Amino acid sequence: METIGSAYHATETFVQGLLFAKSQLRKLAGGSELPSNSERCRDADDTSSDAGSSSVGSQSTDELSEVLSQADIWLGRAELLQSLLGSGIAASLDDIADQQSSAHLRDRLILDERYPMAVYTCKKCKIDVFPVWNAWGHALIRMEHYAQARVKFKQALQLHKGDPAPVILES
């Protein structure tokens, strides 16, 4: 548990560093919000006849936007890692580095019956949350909490694509 505590504090430092880097990137971008993709496309259409330095500025803005996007992704992952560690769950950045490793972590959390944290992991990592709601519903049925199970199954079925019969008939 001491190792998890040390990792938690290291993650806090990492989150603070990412927040600082993100604020510095925003200052570099001129302190204003970077244009969204649709705004950039509209601006490109309006200035398509202009040549020269505007394309260099646009490329720089696109690169800066990509770096900010990556900072947001890693900040979300670091915050998730901090939440996992704060909940006493041993995890590392490798566990949330990509969709496959994130799905493996989700499945591990389901096996450990850490359903709320599994849902949070799915949302932060943008992976399928259906297995969590489904497993949570079945766990609630085993505990004879039928009304709560119904809510979890409803959430699962709202996400399920295809015929719901196999999900409903699953024991």
Side-chain angles (χ1 to χ4, degrees):
M1 199 64 167
E2 185 177 319
T3 303
I4 290 177
S6 297
Y8 176 84
H9 292 293
T11 305
E12 174 62 25
T13 302
F14 188 54
V15 166
Q16 294 303 317
L18 284 170
L19 286 169
F20 177 76
K22 187 176 166 184
S23 72
Q24 294 302 307
L25 286 168
R26 288 211 184 279
K27 284 181 186 175
L28 188 61
S32 62
E33 289 293 315
L34 290 173
S36 67
N37 285 338
S38 62
E39 289 171 350
R40 252 186 263 128
C41 290
R42 194 175 336 119
D43 291 345
D45 290 344
D46 292 344
T47 60
S48 60
S49 61
D50 295 341
S53 65
S54 65
S55 65
V56 172
S58 175
Q59 180 182 358
S60 177
T61 301
D62 288 346
E63 289 172 359
L64 191 54
S65 179
E66 176 61 27
V67 171
L68 270 170
S69 175
Q70 287 297 315
D72 278 335
I73 289 168
W74 282 101
L75 182 59
R77 289 176 181 171
E79 289 169 342
L80 170 60
L81 182 59
Q82 191 176 23
S83 294
L84 290 163
L85 294 168
S87 296
I89 298 166
S92 72
L93 283 175
D94 290 338
D95 292 321
I96 53 177
D98 57 33
Q99 295 222 329
Q100 184 178 359
S101 59
S102 298
H104 180 72
L105 174 62
R106 174 202 61 208
D107 296 343
R108 189 178 92 199
L109 292 168
I110 290 170
L111 288 174
D112 292 343
E113 297 182 348
R114 303 294 295 263
Y115 303 113
M117 191 55 71
V119 169
Y120 183 66
T121 297
C122 291
K123 288 181 180 182
K124 281 289 196 179
C125 296
K126 296 178 176 47
I127 59 173
D128 186 18
V129 72
F130 173 82
V132 181
W133 295 124
N134 191 38
W136 201 347
H138 284 286
L140 289 165
I141 284 177
R142 285 190 298 276
M143 294 185 305
E144 299 180 2
H145 295 155
Y146 302 113
Q148 291 173 353
R150 183 178 301 126
V151 171
K152 303 308 177 197
F153 284 129
K154 182 177 180 182
Q155 290 172 305
L157 289 173
Q158 287 174 343
L159 299 170
H160 186 68
K161 295 169 179 68
D163 182 18
V167 175
I168 295 168
L169 297 175
E170 190 178 296
S171 59

